[in-house]
Amino acid sequence: MSTFDPDPPAPAVGGSPAAQLVTIKRFLADRQPESATGDLTSMLYDLAVAGKLISNKTRRAGLTDMLGRSGVTNVQGEEQKSLDVYADEVIAGLLAQGGRVSALVSEEQPEVTIFEGNGPYVVTCDPLDGSSNIDANVSIGTIFGVFKQREPGSRPTVDDWLRPGRDLVAAGYLLYSTSTMLVYSTGDGVHAFTLDPEAGEFLLTWSDLEFPADPSYYSFNLAASRHWEQGVERFVHWANRDDTPTMSQRYIGSAVSDFHRNLLHGGIFAYPGTDDEPAGKLRLLYEGAPLAYLAEQAGGRGSDGRTSLLELQPADIHQRTPVFVGALELVERLEEFVSEPLQDA
Ligand code: P6P
């Protein structure tokens, strides 16, 4: 069965090589509103630097692992760190030094980290999502969300981070793959940058990305389908019907990679709840909500199957949620199937 797999969008910048050199620093500065203090821009740039450092480490993970397997300690006398821990430390360290962030919610930390200096922003992040794929050299990512403190300059409270995604002022991800990309939005569209490893710069690749009209993929782990609620299974059956637009089933097992491919080519990524884990596996604050924010900025939607992920009020920083995120018409179609009355098996 041939599947429609459109070329990715044309690069945002064309023409002469000089026109290609739009660094993220220049793009952030050009796009920030006149009234901006520059704090958000500066903090996003800190996350870009973290991405460069994590990219460098992930690119060498296999080599380091080999050293680790021989029991050799590296030249600095350091014990081989797991990449999850490394990514978490790099992000926390850069945000702490940057002075724009007052609190950090990280998948790798049981509690919120409060920074001195009371910067005006709160960050939620999954420092390295999909790290179980590293030994198979499968792409992985960092996901982040950004809230503005309710009372900037004051000591942050739980009300500054335990809040719905609708309050996000920015979100994005880094994708460590054949190339390293940074994709973010501050509410004025979704923009993608590619790291030039020689220059050490993130250069603009696409600005104002939107889900294509004709979706090409649905990303569901079909091996778990017998544990899903009926509506989700009905969606997958619909996706396979002859009278449904042709789509391929692609599931990488790395949410950032699945989301990114579906953003460029059109599609939906899902991690449904199951009968023994109704809330599913992914976390709301630092996976579901940031991806849903980006999806909405790109003309799509993120849902738990019934409600926008951006409307959900988390009760706990590590709260899980079912996630269906991607092209609007696919997510809405999924919600329709989920809302239908149960049918006898
Ligand atoms: P499963 C990676 O561990 C992750 O959190 C997501 O990136 C990915 O989509 C999902 O889990 C894969 O989980 O159960 O299909 O292996």
Side-chain angles (χ1 to χ4, degrees):
M1 175 184 68
S2 71
T3 56
F4 176 66
D5 187 356
D7 294 331
V13 288
S16 69
Q20 306 285 342
L21 298 181
V22 180
T23 64
I24 188 165
K25 202 166 193 175
R26 190 178 120 199
F27 187 86
L28 284 165
D30 289 352
R31 285 279 187 133
Q32 76 174 12
E34 286 296 318
S35 57
T37 62
D39 284 340
L40 182 60
T41 294
S42 174
M43 190 219 50
L44 288 171
Y45 193 69
D46 289 340
L47 288 170
V49 173
K52 294 181 198 175
L53 295 171
I54 296 167
S55 170
N56 189 38
K57 213 75 167 180
T58 51
R59 261 209 323 271
R60 299 182 52 78
L63 300 172
T64 312
D65 285 347
M66 279 167 62
L67 279 176
R69 271 198 292 275
S70 65
V72 171
T73 299
N74 71 17
V75 292
Q76 289 83 13
E78 291 167 343
E79 182 190 341
Q80 168 63 22
K81 284 189 183 310
S82 107
L83 277 169
D84 289 310
V85 172
Y86 176 80
D88 186 53
E89 288 177 348
V90 162
I91 291 168
L94 281 161
L95 293 180
Q97 289 165 25
R100 271 70 177 197
V101 174
S102 58
L104 173 64
V105 173
S106 166
E107 181 179 51
E108 298 303 327
Q109 298 299 329
E111 307 299 333
V112 180
T113 303
I114 304 296
F115 294 137
E116 295 313 313
N118 291 345
Y121 293 103
V122 169
V123 172
T124 68
C125 87
D126 181 354
L128 208 56
D129 177 75
S131 49
S132 56
N133 293 299
I134 290 171
D135 63 349
N137 205 17
V138 170
S139 51
I140 51 181
T142 297
I143 309 171
F144 62 88
V146 184
F147 294 113
K148 184 89 180 269
Q149 248 194 285
R150 295 179 190 281
E151 292 179 36
S154 63
R155 185 157 177 76
T157 71
V158 64
D159 293 336
D160 288 313
W161 58 79
L162 215 48
R163 50 204 291 197
R166 193 60 72 195
D167 289 357
L168 287 166
V169 295
Y173 57 81
L174 286 131
L175 175 57
Y176 312 106
S177 182
T178 42
S179 65
T180 294
M181 294 201 80
L182 168 60
V183 179
Y184 83 88
S185 176
T186 55
D188 71 341
V190 177
H191 315 299
F193 298 78
T194 303
L195 178 63
D196 177 332
E198 276 72 50
E201 285 284 2
F202 277 104
L203 300 180
L204 180 67
T205 306
W206 296 298
S207 61
D208 303 301
L209 277 170
E210 293 199 341
F211 287 98
D214 302 319
S216 295
Y217 299 108
Y218 63 99
S219 309
F220 288 60
N221 180 4
L222 302 184
S225 61
R226 62 188 181 285
H227 302 301
W228 296 337
E229 61 180 300
Q230 274 189 16
V232 179
E233 286 196 272
R234 283 200 287 268
F235 174 87
V236 172
H237 290 312
W238 166 82
N240 277 297
R241 275 181 11 195
D242 289 341
D243 58 350
T244 301
T246 303
M247 289 188 281
S248 290
Q249 200 274 338
R250 290 274 197 291
Y251 185 81
I252 296 178
S254 174
V256 172
S257 309
D258 280 317
F259 180 92
H260 185 73
R261 183 207 48 248
N262 294 346
L263 172 60
L264 292 184
H265 297 291
I268 178 174
F269 163 76
Y271 203 102
T274 58
D275 34 34
D276 55 359
E277 282 290 353
K281 174 182 182 182
L282 301 188
R283 271 58 174 224
L284 174 59
L285 257 185
Y286 42 78
E287 291 171 319
L291 292 180
Y293 177 92
L294 287 170
E296 277 206 4
Q297 284 291 317
R301 177 175 170 82
S303 171
D304 66 356
R306 292 170 175 79
T307 310
S308 166
L309 290 171
L310 299 182
E311 301 304 332
L312 302 180
Q313 169 61 44
D316 169 86
I317 59 172
H318 299 298
Q319 177 175 318
R320 295 169 189 261
T321 177
V323 171
F324 303 91
V325 63
L328 178 64
E329 66 277 13
L330 292 180
V331 176
E332 288 182 336
R333 176 63 72 130
L334 179 287
E335 290 174 326
E336 286 166 20
F337 281 118
V338 167
S339 66
E340 287 175 0
L342 291 180
Q343 294 159 5
D344 295 338

